[in-house]
C-alpha cells in the first residue's frame, strides 16, 4: 500500500493541518515506542505502574472477591500490554479454581500473540483466546456469542489518555456493550501534589522526552518525512485546576517539514499537542460511573493513595 493511502499518513497530515497542531498519542507505540514506554514504566519518576502493581499484588484476594461469584465469567482485558499486571489476577483466579476464560483484546497482533504465549507457558490451565480489533466491535461480538457474565479490565490508567468528554463517551459506549451485572476494573491516576505529576511526564532521565520525539522519528522512518528532531523540544505542564497533564513538542525555529510533496510549515515556538494524561478526583470517578450507567462497587488504593483500581458494576 502506498504511504499516502495509510491511516497513519492520513491521521498525521490531518493532525498537523489543524490549529493548534496535534498528533494522536496512539501512534507513540511502534517497536521503539513500546520499548521506551517499558523504560518509562520502570523509571523512578513514573509512579503509576508501581502504584498499580502494589494494589494488584497486595490486594489480589479482595479484588478477586469483588469480581467473582459462582458462575462462569469471561475476563476481558482491553489493551493488555505485556500482561504483567493481569497475570497477577489470573494466577489467583486459577489458584482459586475459578470458572473463567481470559480474553485479551488489542489492535496489535503481536501483543495478543505474545500474551497468549506467556499465559500458556506460565498458566497453561487458563483458557485464553485473544481477539484482534476494535474494543467495541470485539465486545459486541462476545455479547452476541454466549451471554456469559463479563468482567472487563481497563488497567494502566489508559482512560487518562482521553479528554474528560472522550472518557465519558467511552464509558457510555462500554456500558452499551455490556449487560446488567457485568463489571469493569478501571485504573485511575488520582490528583496529587502537582510537582509529582509533572515529574512523571518530564522524568530526569529524559525517557519521556525521547518517547515523544520518537513519534517524529517514526514519521521519518515510515512516512518518509524529514523532521530534524533537534529542532523540537519536549515540554509538559500539569494544571491542578483541571487535573490534566499535557505534553507538547515545541518547534525551536521557523521551518518546513516535507512529506514527499506535502509541506507542513512550523513557526518558531509553535507547539504540537502530543498527549493528555488526565488525573481524577474520587468524586469525578464516582460521577462518571453514575452518569454512564454504572455504580462503583469497590475502590482499591495503593499505600500512598496516588492511584486507584475502581470496580464498577453495570446497572
Ligand atoms: C499509557 N498511559 C497511561 C501513559 C500515561 O501515563 O499517560 C502514557 C505515558 N505517556 C508518557 N508517559 C506515560
Amino acid at each position: 500500500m502506498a504511504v499516502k493511502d495509510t491511516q497513519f499518513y492520513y491521521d498525521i497530515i490531518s493532525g498537523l493541518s489543524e490549529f493548534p497542531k496535534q498528533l494522536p498519542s496512539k501512534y507513540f507505540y511502534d517497536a521503539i515506542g513500546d520499548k521506551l514506554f517499558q523504560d518509562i514504566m520502570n523509571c523512578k519518576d513514573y509512579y503509576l505502574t508501581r502504584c498499580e502493581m502494589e494494589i494488584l499484588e497486595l490486594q489480589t484476594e479482595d479484588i478477586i472477591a469483588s469480581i467473582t461469584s459462582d458462575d462462569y465469567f469471561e475476563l476481558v482485558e482491553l489493551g493488555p500490554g505485556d500482561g504483567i499486571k493481569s497475570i497477577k489476577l489470573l494466577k489467583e483466579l486459577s489458584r482459586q479454581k475459578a470458572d473463567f476464560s481470559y480474553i485479551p483484546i488489542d489492535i496489535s497482533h503481536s501483543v495478543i500473540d505474545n500474551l497468549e504465549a506467556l499465559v500458556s507457558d506460565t498458566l497453561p490451565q487458563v483458557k485464553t483466546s485473544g481477539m484482534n480489533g476494535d474494543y467495541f466491535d470485539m465486545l459486541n461480538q462476545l455479547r452476541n456469542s454466549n451471554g456469559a457474565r463479563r468482567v472487563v479490565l481497563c488497567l494502566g490508567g489508559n482512560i487518562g489518555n482521553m479528554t474528560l468528554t472522550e472518557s465519558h463517551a467511552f464509558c457510555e459506549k462500554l456500558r452499551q456493550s455490556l449487560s446488567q451485572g457485568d463489571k469493569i476494573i478501571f485504573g485511575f491516576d488520582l490528583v496529587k501534589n502537582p510537582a509529582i505529576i509533572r515529574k512523571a511526564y518530564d522524568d530526569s532521565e529524559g525517557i519521556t522526552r525521547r518517547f515523544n520525539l520518537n513519534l517524529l522519528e517514526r514519521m521519518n522512518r515510515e512516512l518518509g518525512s524529514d523532521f530534524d528532531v533537534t529542532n523540537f523540544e519536549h515540554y509538559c505542564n500539569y494544571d491542578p485546576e483541571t487535573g490534566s497533564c499535557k505534553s507538547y513538542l515545541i518547534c525551536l525555529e521557523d521551518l518546513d517539514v516535507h512529506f514527499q510533496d506535502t509541506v507542513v510549515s512550523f513557526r518558531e515556538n509553535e507547539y504540537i499537542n502530543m498527549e493528555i494524561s488526565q488525573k481524577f478526583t474520587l468524586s469525578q470517578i464516582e460521577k462518571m460511573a453514575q452518569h454512564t450507567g454504572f455504580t462503583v462497587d469497590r475502590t482499591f488504593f495503593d499505600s500512598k493513595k496516588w492511584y486507584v483500581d475502581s470496580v464498577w458494576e453495570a446497572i
Side-chain angles (χ1 to χ4, degrees), residues 5-27:
D5 299 330
T6 60
Q7 188 67 40
F8 182 35
Y9 180 86
Y10 176 81
D11 290 345
I12 295 298
I13 296 297
S14 312
L16 294 179
S17 308
E18 282 179 42
F19 185 77
K21 292 183 171 56
Q22 50 190 306
L23 291 170
S25 58
K26 66 177 179 185
Y27 290 120

PDB file of all heavy atoms in Angstrom, residues 5-27:
ATOM      1  N   ASP A   5      -1.821   6.210   1.286  1.00  0.00           N
ATOM      2  CA  ASP A   5      -3.127   5.562   1.467  1.00  0.00           C
ATOM      3  C   ASP A   5      -3.292   4.971   2.862  1.00  0.00           C
ATOM      4  O   ASP A   5      -4.305   4.352   3.157  1.00  0.00           O
ATOM      5  CB  ASP A   5      -3.309   4.435   0.427  1.00  0.00           C
ATOM      6  CG  ASP A   5      -3.270   5.004  -0.978  1.00  0.00           C
ATOM      7  OD1 ASP A   5      -3.683   6.173  -1.145  1.00  0.00           O
ATOM      8  OD2 ASP A   5      -2.805   4.284  -1.894  1.00  0.00           O
ATOM      9  N   THR A   6      -2.268   5.131   3.711  1.00  0.00           N
ATOM     10  CA  THR A   6      -2.383   4.503   5.044  1.00  0.00           C
ATOM     11  C   THR A   6      -3.136   5.431   5.998  1.00  0.00           C
ATOM     12  O   THR A   6      -3.121   6.650   5.853  1.00  0.00           O
ATOM     13  CB  THR A   6      -0.987   4.209   5.659  1.00  0.00           C
ATOM     14  OG1 THR A   6      -0.272   5.455   5.775  1.00  0.00           O
ATOM     15  CG2 THR A   6      -0.178   3.249   4.789  1.00  0.00           C
ATOM     16  N   GLN A   7      -3.757   4.796   6.988  1.00  0.00           N
ATOM     17  CA  GLN A   7      -4.466   5.554   8.033  1.00  0.00           C
ATOM     18  C   GLN A   7      -3.469   6.428   8.803  1.00  0.00           C
ATOM     19  O   GLN A   7      -3.780   7.553   9.198  1.00  0.00           O
ATOM     20  CB  GLN A   7      -5.150   4.553   8.977  1.00  0.00           C
ATOM     21  CG  GLN A   7      -6.085   5.180   9.992  1.00  0.00           C
ATOM     22  CD  GLN A   7      -7.330   5.804   9.349  1.00  0.00           C
ATOM     23  OE1 GLN A   7      -7.882   5.239   8.420  1.00  0.00           O
ATOM     24  NE2 GLN A   7      -7.733   6.963   9.844  1.00  0.00           N
ATOM     25  N   PHE A   8      -2.263   5.885   8.997  1.00  0.00           N
ATOM     26  CA  PHE A   8      -1.222   6.618   9.733  1.00  0.00           C
ATOM     27  C   PHE A   8      -0.948   7.954   9.032  1.00  0.00           C
ATOM     28  O   PHE A   8      -0.991   9.024   9.648  1.00  0.00           O
ATOM     29  CB  PHE A   8       0.035   5.730   9.822  1.00  0.00           C
ATOM     30  CG  PHE A   8       1.194   6.313  10.592  1.00  0.00           C
ATOM     31  CD1 PHE A   8       0.983   7.114  11.716  1.00  0.00           C
ATOM     32  CD2 PHE A   8       2.514   6.027  10.206  1.00  0.00           C
ATOM     33  CE1 PHE A   8       2.063   7.638  12.440  1.00  0.00           C
ATOM     34  CE2 PHE A   8       3.593   6.547  10.919  1.00  0.00           C
ATOM     35  CZ  PHE A   8       3.369   7.362  12.025  1.00  0.00           C
ATOM     36  N   TYR A   9      -0.700   7.906   7.728  1.00  0.00           N
ATOM     37  CA  TYR A   9      -0.416   9.135   6.962  1.00  0.00           C
ATOM     38  C   TYR A   9      -1.595  10.105   7.065  1.00  0.00           C
ATOM     39  O   TYR A   9      -1.430  11.294   7.351  1.00  0.00           O
ATOM     40  CB  TYR A   9      -0.156   8.771   5.494  1.00  0.00           C
ATOM     41  CG  TYR A   9       0.155   9.985   4.625  1.00  0.00           C
ATOM     42  CD1 TYR A   9       1.456  10.476   4.523  1.00  0.00           C
ATOM     43  CD2 TYR A   9      -0.858  10.636   3.907  1.00  0.00           C
ATOM     44  CE1 TYR A   9       1.740  11.591   3.737  1.00  0.00           C
ATOM     45  CE2 TYR A   9      -0.574  11.748   3.124  1.00  0.00           C
ATOM     46  CZ  TYR A   9       0.723  12.215   3.043  1.00  0.00           C
ATOM     47  OH  TYR A   9       1.007  13.318   2.276  1.00  0.00           O
ATOM     48  N   TYR A  10      -2.791   9.574   6.884  1.00  0.00           N
ATOM     49  CA  TYR A  10      -3.989  10.424   6.896  1.00  0.00           C
ATOM     50  C   TYR A  10      -4.127  11.131   8.259  1.00  0.00           C
ATOM     51  O   TYR A  10      -4.343  12.345   8.332  1.00  0.00           O
ATOM     52  CB  TYR A  10      -5.231   9.559   6.611  1.00  0.00           C
ATOM     53  CG  TYR A  10      -6.505  10.354   6.698  1.00  0.00           C
ATOM     54  CD1 TYR A  10      -6.934  11.140   5.635  1.00  0.00           C
ATOM     55  CD2 TYR A  10      -7.256  10.354   7.885  1.00  0.00           C
ATOM     56  CE1 TYR A  10      -8.094  11.902   5.734  1.00  0.00           C
ATOM     57  CE2 TYR A  10      -8.406  11.120   7.988  1.00  0.00           C
ATOM     58  CZ  TYR A  10      -8.824  11.892   6.917  1.00  0.00           C
ATOM     59  OH  TYR A  10      -9.942  12.654   7.028  1.00  0.00           O
ATOM     60  N   ASP A  11      -3.973  10.349   9.346  1.00  0.00           N
ATOM     61  CA  ASP A  11      -4.144  10.928  10.689  1.00  0.00           C
ATOM     62  C   ASP A  11      -3.070  11.973  10.989  1.00  0.00           C
ATOM     63  O   ASP A  11      -3.338  12.992  11.619  1.00  0.00           O
ATOM     64  CB  ASP A  11      -4.094   9.829  11.767  1.00  0.00           C
ATOM     65  CG  ASP A  11      -5.333   8.930  11.719  1.00  0.00           C
ATOM     66  OD1 ASP A  11      -6.326   9.306  11.081  1.00  0.00           O
ATOM     67  OD2 ASP A  11      -5.284   7.836  12.329  1.00  0.00           O
ATOM     68  N   ILE A  12      -1.847  11.692  10.548  1.00  0.00           N
ATOM     69  CA  ILE A  12      -0.741  12.619  10.825  1.00  0.00           C
ATOM     70  C   ILE A  12      -0.948  13.933  10.060  1.00  0.00           C
ATOM     71  O   ILE A  12      -0.860  15.019  10.633  1.00  0.00           O
ATOM     72  CB  ILE A  12       0.625  11.964  10.429  1.00  0.00           C
ATOM     73  CG1 ILE A  12       0.913  10.757  11.317  1.00  0.00           C
ATOM     74  CG2 ILE A  12       1.760  12.977  10.438  1.00  0.00           C
ATOM     75  CD1 ILE A  12       1.052  11.022  12.789  1.00  0.00           C
ATOM     76  N   ILE A  13      -1.248  13.819   8.773  1.00  0.00           N
ATOM     77  CA  ILE A  13      -1.417  15.043   7.978  1.00  0.00           C
ATOM     78  C   ILE A  13      -2.641  15.822   8.477  1.00  0.00           C
ATOM     79  O   ILE A  13      -2.603  17.048   8.594  1.00  0.00           O
ATOM     80  CB  ILE A  13      -1.517  14.713   6.462  1.00  0.00           C
ATOM     81  CG1 ILE A  13      -0.196  14.088   5.978  1.00  0.00           C
ATOM     82  CG2 ILE A  13      -1.857  15.962   5.638  1.00  0.00           C
ATOM     83  CD1 ILE A  13       1.043  14.997   6.085  1.00  0.00           C
ATOM     84  N   SER A  14      -3.721  15.118   8.842  1.00  0.00           N
ATOM     85  CA  SER A  14      -4.895  15.834   9.375  1.00  0.00           C
ATOM     86  C   SER A  14      -4.520  16.565  10.661  1.00  0.00           C
ATOM     87  O   SER A  14      -4.868  17.732  10.841  1.00  0.00           O
ATOM     88  CB  SER A  14      -6.049  14.899   9.720  1.00  0.00           C
ATOM     89  OG  SER A  14      -6.290  14.024   8.694  1.00  0.00           O
ATOM     90  N   GLY A  15      -3.813  15.872  11.554  1.00  0.00           N
ATOM     91  CA  GLY A  15      -3.453  16.482  12.848  1.00  0.00           C
ATOM     92  C   GLY A  15      -2.533  17.689  12.669  1.00  0.00           C
ATOM     93  O   GLY A  15      -2.658  18.689  13.375  1.00  0.00           O
ATOM     94  N   LEU A  16      -1.597  17.578  11.707  1.00  0.00           N
ATOM     95  CA  LEU A  16      -0.644  18.683  11.515  1.00  0.00           C
ATOM     96  C   LEU A  16      -1.263  19.822  10.706  1.00  0.00           C
ATOM     97  O   LEU A  16      -0.679  20.899  10.596  1.00  0.00           O
ATOM     98  CB  LEU A  16       0.639  18.170  10.835  1.00  0.00           C
ATOM     99  CG  LEU A  16       1.478  17.203  11.677  1.00  0.00           C
ATOM    100  CD1 LEU A  16       2.718  16.743  10.909  1.00  0.00           C
ATOM    101  CD2 LEU A  16       1.900  17.835  13.012  1.00  0.00           C
ATOM    102  N   SER A  17      -2.452  19.596  10.137  1.00  0.00           N
ATOM    103  CA  SER A  17      -3.131  20.666   9.397  1.00  0.00           C
ATOM    104  C   SER A  17      -4.040  21.472  10.324  1.00  0.00           C
ATOM    105  O   SER A  17      -4.598  22.479   9.933  1.00  0.00           O
ATOM    106  CB  SER A  17      -4.004  20.080   8.279  1.00  0.00           C
ATOM    107  OG  SER A  17      -3.247  19.201   7.503  1.00  0.00           O
ATOM    108  N   GLU A  18      -4.222  20.958  11.553  1.00  0.00           N
ATOM    109  CA  GLU A  18      -5.111  21.685  12.473  1.00  0.00           C
ATOM    110  C   GLU A  18      -4.366  22.818  13.159  1.00  0.00           C
ATOM    111  O   GLU A  18      -3.140  22.877  13.142  1.00  0.00           O
ATOM    112  CB  GLU A  18      -5.627  20.709  13.541  1.00  0.00           C
ATOM    113  CG  GLU A  18      -6.743  19.840  13.007  1.00  0.00           C
ATOM    114  CD  GLU A  18      -7.242  18.869  14.049  1.00  0.00           C
ATOM    115  OE1 GLU A  18      -7.391  19.264  15.211  1.00  0.00           O
ATOM    116  OE2 GLU A  18      -7.449  17.707  13.675  1.00  0.00           O
ATOM    117  N   PHE A  19      -5.133  23.685  13.784  1.00  0.00           N
ATOM    118  CA  PHE A  19      -4.509  24.717  14.602  1.00  0.00           C
ATOM    119  C   PHE A  19      -5.150  24.708  15.975  1.00  0.00           C
ATOM    120  O   PHE A  19      -6.351  24.901  16.056  1.00  0.00           O
ATOM    121  CB  PHE A  19      -4.658  26.102  13.970  1.00  0.00           C
ATOM    122  CG  PHE A  19      -3.911  27.124  14.760  1.00  0.00           C
ATOM    123  CD1 PHE A  19      -2.531  27.221  14.662  1.00  0.00           C
ATOM    124  CD2 PHE A  19      -4.588  27.955  15.645  1.00  0.00           C
ATOM    125  CE1 PHE A  19      -1.829  28.141  15.440  1.00  0.00           C
ATOM    126  CE2 PHE A  19      -3.890  28.861  16.423  1.00  0.00           C
ATOM    127  CZ  PHE A  19      -2.517  28.963  16.316  1.00  0.00           C
ATOM    128  N   PRO A  20      -4.453  24.450  17.057  1.00  0.00           N
ATOM    129  CA  PRO A  20      -3.038  24.082  17.094  1.00  0.00           C
ATOM    130  C   PRO A  20      -2.811  22.672  16.529  1.00  0.00           C
ATOM    131  O   PRO A  20      -3.713  21.849  16.534  1.00  0.00           O
ATOM    132  CB  PRO A  20      -2.723  24.122  18.599  1.00  0.00           C
ATOM    133  CG  PRO A  20      -4.029  23.912  19.295  1.00  0.00           C
ATOM    134  CD  PRO A  20      -5.089  24.463  18.389  1.00  0.00           C
ATOM    135  N   LYS A  21      -1.578  22.433  16.103  1.00  0.00           N
ATOM    136  CA  LYS A  21      -1.232  21.126  15.537  1.00  0.00           C
ATOM    137  C   LYS A  21      -1.336  20.050  16.620  1.00  0.00           C
ATOM    138  O   LYS A  21      -1.064  20.316  17.781  1.00  0.00           O
ATOM    139  CB  LYS A  21       0.205  21.149  14.997  1.00  0.00           C
ATOM    140  CG  LYS A  21       0.389  22.042  13.764  1.00  0.00           C
ATOM    141  CD  LYS A  21       1.815  21.942  13.276  1.00  0.00           C
ATOM    142  CE  LYS A  21       2.075  22.606  11.941  1.00  0.00           C
ATOM    143  NZ  LYS A  21       1.719  24.010  11.841  1.00  0.00           N
ATOM    144  N   GLN A  22      -1.756  18.851  16.194  1.00  0.00           N
ATOM    145  CA  GLN A  22      -1.770  17.753  17.162  1.00  0.00           C
ATOM    146  C   GLN A  22      -1.445  16.427  16.508  1.00  0.00           C
ATOM    147  O   GLN A  22      -1.652  16.258  15.309  1.00  0.00           O
ATOM    148  CB  GLN A  22      -3.097  17.679  17.877  1.00  0.00           C
ATOM    149  CG  GLN A  22      -4.313  17.697  16.976  1.00  0.00           C
ATOM    150  CD  GLN A  22      -5.546  17.866  17.836  1.00  0.00           C
ATOM    151  OE1 GLN A  22      -5.747  17.093  18.760  1.00  0.00           O
ATOM    152  NE2 GLN A  22      -6.353  18.867  17.536  1.00  0.00           N
ATOM    153  N   LEU A  23      -0.918  15.514  17.328  1.00  0.00           N
ATOM    154  CA  LEU A  23      -0.591  14.170  16.841  1.00  0.00           C
ATOM    155  C   LEU A  23      -1.270  13.152  17.752  1.00  0.00           C
ATOM    156  O   LEU A  23      -1.207  13.305  18.978  1.00  0.00           O
ATOM    157  CB  LEU A  23       0.931  13.961  16.842  1.00  0.00           C
ATOM    158  CG  LEU A  23       1.678  14.795  15.792  1.00  0.00           C
ATOM    159  CD1 LEU A  23       3.187  14.722  16.011  1.00  0.00           C
ATOM    160  CD2 LEU A  23       1.331  14.310  14.382  1.00  0.00           C
ATOM    161  N   PRO A  24      -1.925  12.143  17.181  1.00  0.00           N
ATOM    162  CA  PRO A  24      -2.629  11.174  18.040  1.00  0.00           C
ATOM    163  C   PRO A  24      -1.629  10.326  18.834  1.00  0.00           C
ATOM    164  O   PRO A  24      -0.734   9.705  18.256  1.00  0.00           O
ATOM    165  CB  PRO A  24      -3.396  10.291  17.046  1.00  0.00           C
ATOM    166  CG  PRO A  24      -3.278  10.951  15.708  1.00  0.00           C
ATOM    167  CD  PRO A  24      -2.075  11.850  15.750  1.00  0.00           C
ATOM    168  N   SER A  25      -1.817  10.283  20.162  1.00  0.00           N
ATOM    169  CA  SER A  25      -0.822   9.609  21.008  1.00  0.00           C
ATOM    170  C   SER A  25      -0.808   8.091  20.783  1.00  0.00           C
ATOM    171  O   SER A  25       0.152   7.421  21.143  1.00  0.00           O
ATOM    172  CB  SER A  25      -1.022   9.957  22.482  1.00  0.00           C
ATOM    173  OG  SER A  25      -2.307   9.596  22.909  1.00  0.00           O
ATOM    174  N   LYS A  26      -1.868   7.551  20.144  1.00  0.00           N
ATOM    175  CA  LYS A  26      -1.840   6.096  19.903  1.00  0.00           C
ATOM    176  C   LYS A  26      -0.670   5.722  18.989  1.00  0.00           C
ATOM    177  O   LYS A  26      -0.204   4.583  19.002  1.00  0.00           O
ATOM    178  CB  LYS A  26      -3.160   5.605  19.318  1.00  0.00           C
ATOM    179  CG  LYS A  26      -3.483   6.122  17.943  1.00  0.00           C
ATOM    180  CD  LYS A  26      -4.774   5.509  17.418  1.00  0.00           C
ATOM    181  CE  LYS A  26      -5.096   6.052  16.042  1.00  0.00           C
ATOM    182  NZ  LYS A  26      -6.338   5.644  15.488  1.00  0.00           N
ATOM    183  N   TYR A  27      -0.143   6.673  18.222  1.00  0.00           N
ATOM    184  CA  TYR A  27       0.966   6.359  17.316  1.00  0.00           C
ATOM    185  C   TYR A  27       2.340   6.374  17.993  1.00  0.00           C
ATOM    186  O   TYR A  27       3.352   6.154  17.356  1.00  0.00           O
ATOM    187  CB  TYR A  27       0.940   7.291  16.102  1.00  0.00           C
ATOM    188  CG  TYR A  27      -0.236   6.985  15.187  1.00  0.00           C
ATOM    189  CD1 TYR A  27      -1.210   7.940  14.915  1.00  0.00           C
ATOM    190  CD2 TYR A  27      -0.382   5.727  14.617  1.00  0.00           C
ATOM    191  CE1 TYR A  27      -2.296   7.659  14.093  1.00  0.00           C
ATOM    192  CE2 TYR A  27      -1.464   5.428  13.796  1.00  0.00           C
ATOM    193  CZ  TYR A  27      -2.408   6.394  13.540  1.00  0.00           C
ATOM    194  OH  TYR A  27      -3.480   6.102  12.722  1.00  0.00           O
TER     195      TYR A  27
END
